[in-house]
Amino acid sequence: MIRHIFKTSTWNPTEMEWLRAANTLSEPERERISQFMYKRDAKQSMAGRLMMRSCFAQLSGETPESFHLSRDESGKPYIVDPSPSLSSLSFNVSHAGDYAAFAASTTAKIGVDVMKVELRRNTSVQQFFSHMKRQFTDFEWQKIRSPATDRGKLVNFYRHWCLKESYVKAIGTGLKFGLQRIQFYLGDLEEGICKSTTVSVDGVLDLNWKFEEIFQDNHFVTIAMGNVEFSPEDRASVKLLNFSDLVVSEDPLSDKFYFASFDEKKELP
């Protein structure tokens, strides 16, 4: 099982890095990334695509640029005509805040979500929660609101949200799945790691699902895994990657304007 994160906020790609990265992708992928208004969003999307293709290359021995990717009805990416070594691969990518995250397995259904704990400008916690009322059960709202401080409430909110997102991404339905059908029972976060959270679906506890939660740098990274076994005592095995850890094209994209158009963007709104 592969679990990777990439800190995009501290990645300031050189011209060579960006053009090698771009040459690893298909033309539609490059075009999609070029449409982002801000560097932050372009880097997040690029990092997610590179982590996917790097994983495929490492598992199959093929070059990272050789894979044809498409999306299913729920928007989840998949490999078109995968080789036998990748035919049973389940994978998922997410990005938010300062990070992109990727997870993959040949034996388990996989969903991953990453969220930064933050509150939108000019919005109170109570206003924010009022817009999300239907996304959680009464039991979950009780847990979310239990801390005395707004900061504690936000941490609990994003923890629950990451769990729900990771689960519905793993089962392939997206948010079309009624989120109140899912109820989480939180385990203890110890040194920013938890592997003991459980879930019930339609009121029935489903122990076939395991959840790996990591809280670091004010972000939650949550991986949902169906039909997998691990010990709750095991430490998390999420690996932080740098650009040099990725398998990308050796040759840069010949169109240097692709970097110039990226480089002139603002980092953030």
Side-chain angles (χ1 to χ4, degrees), residues 37-41 121 266-269:
M37 291 184 62
Y38 300 104
K39 283 184 178 179
R40 173 197 61 191
D41 304 313
R121 294 178 182 177
K266 292 182 179 179
E267 180 71 24
L268 297 167

Side-chain angles (χ1 to χ4, degrees), residues 42 100 127 144 205 235 248:
Q127 288 173 325
I144 290 169
L205 191 65
R235 308 314 294 159
V248 299

Side-chain angles (χ1 to χ4, degrees), residues 140-201:
E140 289 171 327
W141 274 120
Q142 183 178 16
K143 181 68 175 179
I144 290 169
R145 296 179 185 274
S146 61
T149 66
D150 282 351
R151 165 68 181 177
K153 291 179 174 68
L154 275 178
V155 168
N156 277 358
F157 172 87
Y158 280 107
R159 185 177 178 190
H160 278 85
W161 186 250
C162 265
L163 284 161
K164 296 224 175 190
E165 283 268 17
S166 66
Y167 177 82
V168 297
K169 290 170 77 174
I171 62 176
T173 62
L175 296 180
K176 293 185 295 183
F177 192 90
L179 294 186
Q180 287 201 1
R181 295 175 58 190
I182 321 163
Q183 181 164 287
F184 285 94
Y185 306 89
L186 302 184
D188 293 331
L189 275 172
E190 299 178 1
E191 299 180 3
I193 297 168
C194 178
K195 291 191 176 185
S196 57
T197 289
T198 56
V199 66
S200 65
V201 182

Side-chain angles (χ1 to χ4, degrees), residues 17-126:
E17 284 180 347
W18 194 251
L19 293 178
R20 285 180 61 205
N23 206 34
T24 308
L25 308 187
S26 66
E27 179 58 35
E29 288 173 312
R30 290 196 293 268
E31 178 63 23
R32 193 177 304 115
I33 289 173
S34 72
Q35 297 302 312
F36 288 112
M37 291 184 62
Y38 300 104
K39 283 184 178 179
R40 173 197 61 191
D41 304 313
K43 290 191 296 182
Q44 287 177 344
S45 183
M46 179 69 82
R49 288 283 155 168
L50 292 179
M51 285 192 288
M52 280 195 290
R53 287 179 173 274
S54 182
C55 168
F56 304 156
Q58 290 172 329
L59 292 177
S60 69
E62 301 174 52
T63 60
E65 58 267 37
S66 66
F67 303 99
H68 179 203
L69 303 179
S70 187
R71 293 180 182 272
D72 63 19
E73 293 180 354
S74 67
K76 191 173 182 178
Y78 67 92
I79 306 170
V80 178
D81 296 326
S83 63
S85 60
L86 300 176
S87 60
S88 62
L89 186 70
S90 174
F91 62 93
N92 200 224
V93 66
S94 178
H95 42 74
D98 299 335
Y99 288 91
F102 173 79
S105 173
T106 56
T107 58
K109 293 181 179 179
I110 286 285
V112 63
D113 195 56
V114 56
M115 290 297 295
K116 184 177 183 178
V117 178
E118 60 183 351
L119 188 64
R120 295 175 183 174
R121 294 178 182 177
N122 303 318
T123 303
S124 70
V125 170
Q126 293 309 315

